[in-house]
Amino acid sequence: MFYHSTRGGGGKITAAEAIATGLSSDGGLYLPESLPWVSLNEIERLASEPYSGRAAAILGLFLDDFTSEELNDYTREAYSAPGFDQAQIAPGFDQAQIAPGFDQAQIAPGFDQAQIASGFDHPQIAPLHRLDSSTHFLELWHGPTSAFKDMALQMLPRLMIASLRKTNETRDVCILVATSGDTGKAALEGFCDVAGTKIMVFYPRDGVSDVQKLQMITQKGANVNVVAVEGNFDDAQTGVKSIFSDEAFNAELDVRGCFLSSANSINWGRLVPQIAYYVSAYCDLLTSGAIKLGESINFCVPTGNFGNILAGYYAMKIGLPIKKLICASNKNDVLADFIETGVYDKNRPFYTTASPSMDILVSSNLERLLFELSGKDGGAIAAYMSDLSKTGRYAVPSDVRDAITGMFASGRCSEAETASTIDGVFREHGYLIDTHTAVAYKALRDYRADTGDGSPTVVVSTASPFKFSDSVLSALGYELSGNGMDSVNRLADETGCGVPAPLRDLHMRAPRFTDSVPKDEMKNAVQRFIDVSNR
């Protein structure tokens, strides 16, 4: 299977080459020339596999220059749950049977909670929580950084190093990351002290939660660096893209034995592992008896950069029975507007919200969807992106808009609605959700009210509520005091829910990275980091 750019340049390359380089030289994103197909019989077979087996099978469909032995090894390593015997975990394990506040460690006697920080704290890796007969939450936050980005970023370093080997690359790779909070920490954790790599993360100085910031600036590792950008996430993302496209700078790095790549979802190696958890969720619904084989379901996804929901689109296109993908937006509702109107317009106020990982006005991964729905016309995509750069907006033709609305629905959630949703779910169901998950659940309720669609639906839950403890506490009606870590402990005390192990000792870690730069100084910061790390 070969890959090509959404903007038509760069020719055909292998999966390993796409993963190693991350971004095409024409500024486009790589995606496969054609898509594989998964039969219902294969989905039924995967339902009897643990998560690692399901992931290896899905990755193998797209990464045909990797052997099945390699992928099985990588997924077993990436999706490990220390203290749990994977072979003894029965398919269909019912997460709903675990009482709110129950200590997850108790489901495996002898489980060492201290081990969790280096693995996943649930035997199913990405378990479903049953809220009611037609609604389940897909918990993607049981990994080492307590956010859904672990599902991909525990895999990407393994794929990256193998790709460098397969492409006979001898230079070091410097991973550049722009983050709205969760990607940064997950990437840092995944690439920490990986030989032959350096990683530098840029985050908006005032645009992440206290816990997210503390996770990043206390990161261990000799090959890592973290810098705050004096601006919002879009400023950081634009800065990283401009560094990638700076030919002179990249030529200079080449002479010094280094090249740039990405751990953002613009890298296909970041996106493809995410397809697996959509398939896995369907498998778990099947084994629990919640659905029958072939029955269509919906997914409701909180998204800002469009990567998470795009993985759901690819799951749909390879054969997973998905009826609708519901795109949930917070106050920064550029994606909801686009789905409804066919006009993408970033010329609007930027809001800092309680769901900061969605505080984005330029959704990079939308480019891949547009390419698929525009007859794979790279020239059309290049024109859209040029219009976006020059005027801040573009409009797609009616046939593309119709194709989008045939597969996607949209919803919005205000700040007040986010808080009331968190409070309502906890009071009514005893289930604690974070701000991003609340945005999605509110969008789902509105969608059902508007359409009458009662199909089984999976709400994609993207982060532990403890990563946004201030906002969750406030939503539950408690007055705030102290810093983010004080709120983490208080949230546990007030709700009876256990703090995820990776977050427990954050307050004991000394900050390592305190630099802050204007957005036009990001390239200089990268150069300084490479200079220092090469000494």
Side-chain angles (χ1 to χ4, degrees):
M1 179 182 291
F2 288 99
Y3 289 73
H4 54 182
S5 168
T6 52
R7 302 188 192 179
K12 298 179 181 180
I13 63 173
T14 66
E17 290 171 321
I19 292 170
T21 54
L23 190 68
S24 174
S25 58
D26 64 359
L29 310 185
Y30 288 118
L31 74 177
E33 281 190 305
S34 60
L35 295 176
W37 182 256
V38 179
S39 68
L40 290 178
N41 286 339
E42 176 65 3
I43 292 172
E44 187 175 33
R45 186 194 70 78
L46 290 176
S48 65
E49 292 281 332
Y51 188 87
S52 60
R54 296 170 183 174
I58 298 304
L59 289 168
L61 298 173
F62 292 93
L63 309 179
D64 59 0
D65 44 353
F66 290 75
T67 69
S68 59
E69 290 79 12
E70 286 176 314
L71 294 176
N72 276 296
D73 285 345
Y74 300 157
T75 55
R76 280 193 295 264
E77 293 168 359
Y79 304 120
S80 65
F84 293 108
D85 183 352
Q86 292 293 317
Q88 296 177 7
I89 301 305
F93 179 93
D94 187 0
Q95 172 71 357
Q97 294 174 357
I98 299 178
F102 185 93
D103 185 352
Q104 297 284 329
Q106 295 178 24
I107 40 182
F111 180 86
D112 182 359
Q113 192 73 359
Q115 293 176 318
I116 283 298
S118 61
F120 286 74
D121 70 359
H122 195 285
Q124 283 190 297
I125 308 303
L128 287 175
H129 177 93
R130 181 184 183 276
L131 195 73
D132 57 47
S133 60
S134 62
T135 311
H136 290 73
F137 287 78
L138 176 60
E139 295 181 346
L140 298 178
W141 39 262
H142 288 280
T145 73
S146 303
F148 83 104
K149 303 298 176 72
D150 291 323
M151 302 302 299
L153 283 163
Q154 286 297 294
M155 270 301 299
L156 180 60
R158 293 167 170 86
L159 295 176
M160 177 70 74
I161 296 304
S163 295
L164 296 178
R165 184 181 68 248
K166 290 175 184 290
T167 56
N168 298 312
E169 180 60 69
T170 59
R171 296 171 297 173
D172 285 351
V173 58
C174 181
I175 308 294
L176 292 189
V177 177
T179 185
S180 53
D182 289 332
T183 293
K185 172 58 180 177
L188 290 163
E189 192 71 24
F191 281 95
C192 174
D193 288 332
V194 173
T197 73
K198 304 175 178 66
I199 178 167
M200 185 164 188
V201 169
F202 292 99
Y203 70 94
R205 186 179 62 184
D206 300 315
V208 299
S209 75
D210 289 345
V211 172
Q212 287 175 312
K213 179 179 178 180
L214 198 55
Q215 281 186 300
M216 288 187 286
I217 67 174
T218 60
Q219 175 65 43
K220 64 182 180 180
N223 66 332
V224 307
N225 192 24
V226 180
V227 175
V229 175
E230 296 166 8
N232 58 38
F233 170 76
D234 289 329
D235 294 323
Q237 182 169 250
T238 299
V240 165
K241 286 185 175 181
S242 69
I243 295 170
F244 273 108
S245 62
D246 188 325
E247 294 182 1
F249 183 60
N250 281 272
E252 178 186 338
L253 293 182
D254 180 55
V255 171
R256 298 161 67 185
C258 185
F259 75 101
L260 301 177
S261 190
S262 173
N264 284 94
S265 54
I266 58 175
N267 190 315
W268 181 253
R270 238 294 300 278
L271 186 63
V272 68
Q274 295 180 253
I275 300 171
Y277 54 69
Y278 286 91
V279 176
S280 182
Y282 191 93
C283 289
D284 284 342
L285 288 176
L286 190 62
T287 57
S288 70
I291 60 171
K292 296 179 180 179
L293 184 64
E295 184 176 354
S296 292
I297 68 172
N298 296 329
F299 283 91
C300 188
V301 190
T303 189
N305 215 16
F306 206 74
N308 196 354
I309 201 168
L310 182 67
Y313 163 82
Y314 281 116
M316 174 194 289
K317 299 304 288 184
I318 66 173
L320 196 68
I322 297 176
K323 179 180 180 181
K324 211 78 170 181
L325 292 162
I326 305 162
C327 177
S329 296
N330 64 12
K331 198 173 181 180
N332 295 298
D333 58 353
V334 63
L335 281 172
D337 279 352
F338 173 71
I339 290 170
E340 294 162 9
T341 67
V343 177
Y344 195 99
D345 191 345
K346 71 169 186 175
N347 300 307
R348 62 183 67 208
F350 179 92
Y351 298 104
T352 299
T353 74
S355 46
S357 296
M358 301 165 64
D359 291 346
I360 298 169
L361 294 182
V362 179
S363 305
S364 291
N365 265 291
L366 188 58
E367 182 171 337
R368 282 189 169 109
L369 178 69
L370 294 178
F371 183 83
E372 298 279 11
L373 301 182
S374 300
K376 299 188 175 182
D377 183 349
I381 304 308
Y384 292 149
M385 297 305 111
S386 177
D387 287 347
L388 184 65
S389 176
K390 293 176 182 176
T391 69
R393 72 188 301 275
Y394 60 82
V396 299
S398 59
D399 61 327
V400 174
R401 178 188 169 190
D402 291 345
I404 292 171
T405 55
M407 293 179 286
F408 293 86
S410 62
R412 297 172 178 78
C413 186
S414 69
E415 291 294 89
E417 290 166 333
T418 299
S420 65
T421 300
I422 291 170
D423 185 58
V425 170
F426 188 70
R427 304 298 175 193
E428 294 170 27
H429 301 279
Y431 185 59
L432 194 63
I433 58 176
D434 87 298
T435 50
H436 306 76
T437 306
V439 168
Y441 186 54
K442 191 269 180 182
L444 171 61
R445 289 188 302 181
D446 288 348
Y447 168 79
R448 284 174 166 167
D450 291 342
T451 66
D453 183 358
S455 301
T457 301
V458 173
V459 177
V460 178
S461 181
T462 55
S464 165
F466 287 93
K467 293 198 75 166
F468 306 94
S469 52
D470 276 357
S471 296
V472 175
L473 270 174
S474 179
L476 296 176
Y478 298 104
E479 292 186 7
L480 302 180
S481 61
N483 58 33
M485 283 311 300
D486 291 334
S487 296
V488 167
N489 296 324
R490 186 176 175 202
L491 182 60
D493 292 340
E494 299 288 0
T495 63
C497 297
V499 180
L503 305 181
R504 288 180 189 165
D505 66 346
L506 272 179
H507 63 289
M508 299 173 62
R509 304 177 195 173
R512 293 182 62 199
F513 305 105
T514 58
D515 287 351
S516 177
V517 298
K519 58 187 178 182
D520 57 358
E521 287 292 317
M522 290 172 61
K523 184 175 75 173
N524 291 337
V526 174
Q527 193 161 26
R528 289 193 297 271
F529 171 55
I530 292 175
D531 286 343
V532 170
S533 59
N534 279 347
R535 290 174 186 168

